[in-house]
Amino acid sequence: MTCDLLINIARCLETEKARSNQNHPCYRVATAQINYPLHHESHLPEPWSGSLEKAKILFVGSNPSIDYDEDFPTAEWSDDKIRDFFENRFGSGHKVWTKQNKVLYKNGSYSRANSTWSEISNRATEILGREAVPGIDYALTETVRCKSRNAEGVKEARNKCMERHFAATLAASNARIIIALGEHARAAVGQMCLGKILGSAPVVQRTADQEKVFLAIGKAGSNKPRKLPEALPRGIDDLALIREFL
């Protein structure tokens, strides 16, 4: 089930519809890669990164940024290779897709360390009370799965993408701690899961047959509070509540 969902999101049928329809809510984000020299090699939408079934914490960002040099799934990749990339992005894949938060480039070299991933790993470590293992202790997903720079097109596409993909992603996830990163995720996750914009105070909500705890913190690199427990209204007491869901 999880594998099918991953491929359905990566090969989202709305993407091609959006590219040919300026009135489609996903038009801006779906065409953000149009200046890429080989259009057929545009990066696919990003379902999630890490093991959705194993991770105890699920971080939700606005949308993935793009590095055109990254060895990243395109439409020509096989379904098996796409699954391997996203599920094993942080380890145990057919390739070493990332190394110490550095992404694999198509020429075989690695990028600089991804500062967003480094911060997210720190947040997971603060919750766990030990060094977090990326992709195992936590997974990453987005409110909008198509890639762009500087969140181009996210505001327009957010509701459409959330309605199409987020509920199914959350249902497939075994994480009981859901952390929204930044304003787009705070609004989108809060409205869908709680019926209101999500705040920094942890909120316990039953989804399907399981209780989960939801909260929002500032996105990486922002001037909004994001370190734990400092970003939480009740500090260590709120952190203790969050840890009950590990």
Side-chain angles (χ1 to χ4, degrees), residues 93-110:
H94 294 317
K95 289 185 178 181
V96 182
W97 300 113
T98 65
K99 182 187 294 184
Q100 297 176 331
N101 289 328
K102 303 172 183 178
V103 303
L104 175 65
Y105 280 159
K106 286 177 281 189
N107 66 7
S109 67
Y110 287 85

Side-chain angles (χ1 to χ4, degrees), residues 2-3 6 46-55 70-73 77 79-104 110 117 133-136 138-140:
T2 304
C3 289
L6 186 153
E46 191 167 306
W48 58 80
S49 295
S51 175
L52 203 63
E53 295 179 338
K54 294 179 182 177
E70 184 180 0
D71 191 5
F72 190 92
W77 284 31
D79 287 356
D80 285 343
K81 189 176 179 182
I82 292 170
R83 289 190 193 101
D84 179 71
F85 178 90
F86 289 114
E87 283 284 330
N88 301 309
R89 195 171 186 181
F90 298 109
S92 303
H94 294 317
K95 289 185 178 181
V96 182
W97 300 113
T98 65
K99 182 187 294 184
Q100 297 176 331
N101 289 328
K102 303 172 183 178
V103 303
L104 175 65
Y110 287 85
W117 285 354
V133 180
I136 301 298
Y138 63 90
L140 316 176

Side-chain angles (χ1 to χ4, degrees), residues 32-83:
Q33 299 182 52
I34 202 164
N35 293 324
Y36 190 51
L38 296 175
H39 182 65
H40 68 280
E41 287 190 359
S42 293
H43 293 186
L44 292 177
E46 191 167 306
W48 58 80
S49 295
S51 175
L52 203 63
E53 295 179 338
K54 294 179 182 177
K56 299 175 181 179
I57 306 168
L58 181 64
F59 289 95
V60 186
S62 58
N63 83 311
S65 188
I66 187 164
D67 183 339
Y68 293 115
D69 293 321
E70 184 180 0
D71 191 5
F72 190 92
T74 65
E76 288 68 38
W77 284 31
S78 70
D79 287 356
D80 285 343
K81 189 176 179 182
I82 292 170
R83 289 190 193 101

Side-chain angles (χ1 to χ4, degrees), residues 29 44-47 61-66 72 89 141-151 154:
V29 72
L44 292 177
E46 191 167 306
S62 58
N63 83 311
S65 188
I66 187 164
F72 190 92
R89 195 171 186 181
T141 192
E142 312 283 344
T143 61
V144 172
R145 311 306 173 93
C146 285
K147 303 177 81 171
S148 68
R149 288 179 174 168
N150 302 314
V154 169

Side-chain angles (χ1 to χ4, degrees), residues 143 158-159 162 166 183-193:
T143 61
R158 192 174 69 195
N159 289 345
M162 287 289 289
F166 190 75
E183 297 306 311
H184 285 296
R186 177 192 300 270
V189 174
Q191 292 291 353
M192 172 164 280
C193 299

Side-chain angles (χ1 to χ4, degrees), residues 175-202:
R176 299 182 66 207
I177 300 171
I178 315 299
I179 303 179
L181 304 170
E183 297 306 311
H184 285 296
R186 177 192 300 270
V189 174
Q191 292 291 353
M192 172 164 280
C193 299
L194 306 175
K196 61 181 181 181
I197 294 177
L198 189 59
S200 55

